Amino acid sequence: MRILVTGRNGQLARELQKRKPRDVNLVALTRNDLDVTDSNQVMQAVNKYKPDTLINAAAYTAVDKAESEREQAFAINATGPENLARACHEMDARLIHISTDFVFDGQGCSPYKPQDSIRPLGIYGESKAAGEAAVQSVLPQAVILRTAWVYGAHGTNFTNTMLRLMRERDQLGVVADQIGTPTSCITLAETIFTLVSKPEVSGIYHCTDAGTASWYDFAVAIYEEAKNLGVLTKDANVNIIPIGNTEYHSCAVRPSYSVLDKSSLVEDLGIELKHWRQALRQVLQEKVNS
């Protein structure tokens, strides 16, 4: 099995490289190796490596900056996936494309199903929605895997930012009125490899860990679990205060509710998803062991 992964330096691609099965020959390319916005480069790379499956983990993810960098966001998140889909179509390769909960407007009150209507609120979400549409148009048999609140032991993410701030400050205000589900890179990588092993599966799926949380809930859990595991010292004393989204000044509007329904993923892949707090404990344990 030959797998080609874009976005090598991102936290998901790193996890994929770490957890690949023994029978998989995986090549991960950085943006310097492969600019997904360049259709010629994409075709050359797919022709060179001849993957059975291409996993697109490359993305523009700066949600606030996207509001002023629309062209760049759409180039990477919409044009890039379209180029990859065309190359996969040409070379008869399978495509697994990673998308986001930001394609929804957050006005719902029950978990979003893959077939629910999308209505992104900002440029980042619009660019990811455009990427989904392009992939579906060019390569209907592709897998689009939406996820949310992704974090891992390494890289820039909410968990590592919170840990840094908890070492520097004695008080933190964290948004309590945005509800979703944290997703460990471990969960995401393991799910992707299960998808790879099931070539008959296609369409849109949702993947996060189980359960729901606010960013405040997530921060409190990070604090408690990190102290228990020794990632933070036992005498660390940080007061975490719940704040409203309006108190957190940002350029982009974020969905207030973006819990994703994973039932079709669980049923079609025959997997069981861990609760997000259990997954967090696993990631923090990795930090202890590394």
Side-chain angles (χ1 to χ4, degrees), residues 89-205:
H89 178 74
E90 185 74 21
M91 299 298 295
D92 197 26
R94 191 164 178 235
L95 175 63
I96 299 175
H97 172 62
I98 310 303
S99 194
T100 175
D101 59 326
F102 271 68
V103 299
F104 296 110
D105 64 8
Q107 299 304 302
C109 56
S110 60
Y112 285 101
K113 298 179 184 297
Q115 67 269 26
D116 284 345
S117 298
I118 62 174
R119 194 176 78 88
L121 299 176
I123 299 301
Y124 168 68
E126 288 177 10
S127 67
K128 293 296 286 184
E132 288 188 6
V135 168
Q136 286 181 300
S137 175
V138 174
L139 199 67
Q141 67 271 34
V143 174
I144 293 172
L145 191 64
R146 294 184 185 133
T147 188
W149 298 24
V150 179
Y151 69 97
H154 306 286
T156 302
N157 55 59
F158 182 81
T159 300
N160 287 334
T161 297
M162 286 295 104
L163 290 171
R164 175 177 58 80
L165 293 175
M166 287 169 186
R167 294 185 182 102
E168 296 172 355
R169 304 180 188 178
D170 57 11
Q171 183 168 297
L172 293 174
V174 184
V175 172
D177 56 358
Q178 286 179 4
I179 308 299
T181 308
T183 308
S184 156
C185 271
I186 298 171
T187 297
L188 197 51
E190 289 176 346
T191 301
I192 288 170
F193 282 125
T194 303
L195 278 166
V196 167
S197 72
K198 295 183 178 291
E200 72 280 5
V201 173
S202 64
I204 300 176
Y205 288 92

Side-chain angles (χ1 to χ4, degrees), residues 25 62-66 76 78 87 94 99 116 133-134 143 175 185 217 227-228 250 265 271 279 283 286:
N25 177 16
V63 175
D64 289 318
K65 285 181 68 177
I76 297 170
R94 191 164 178 235
S99 194
D116 284 345
V143 174
V175 172
C185 271
D217 297 330
K227 286 186 71 172
N228 288 338
S250 60
L265 180 82
I271 61 174
V283 169
E286 278 202 358

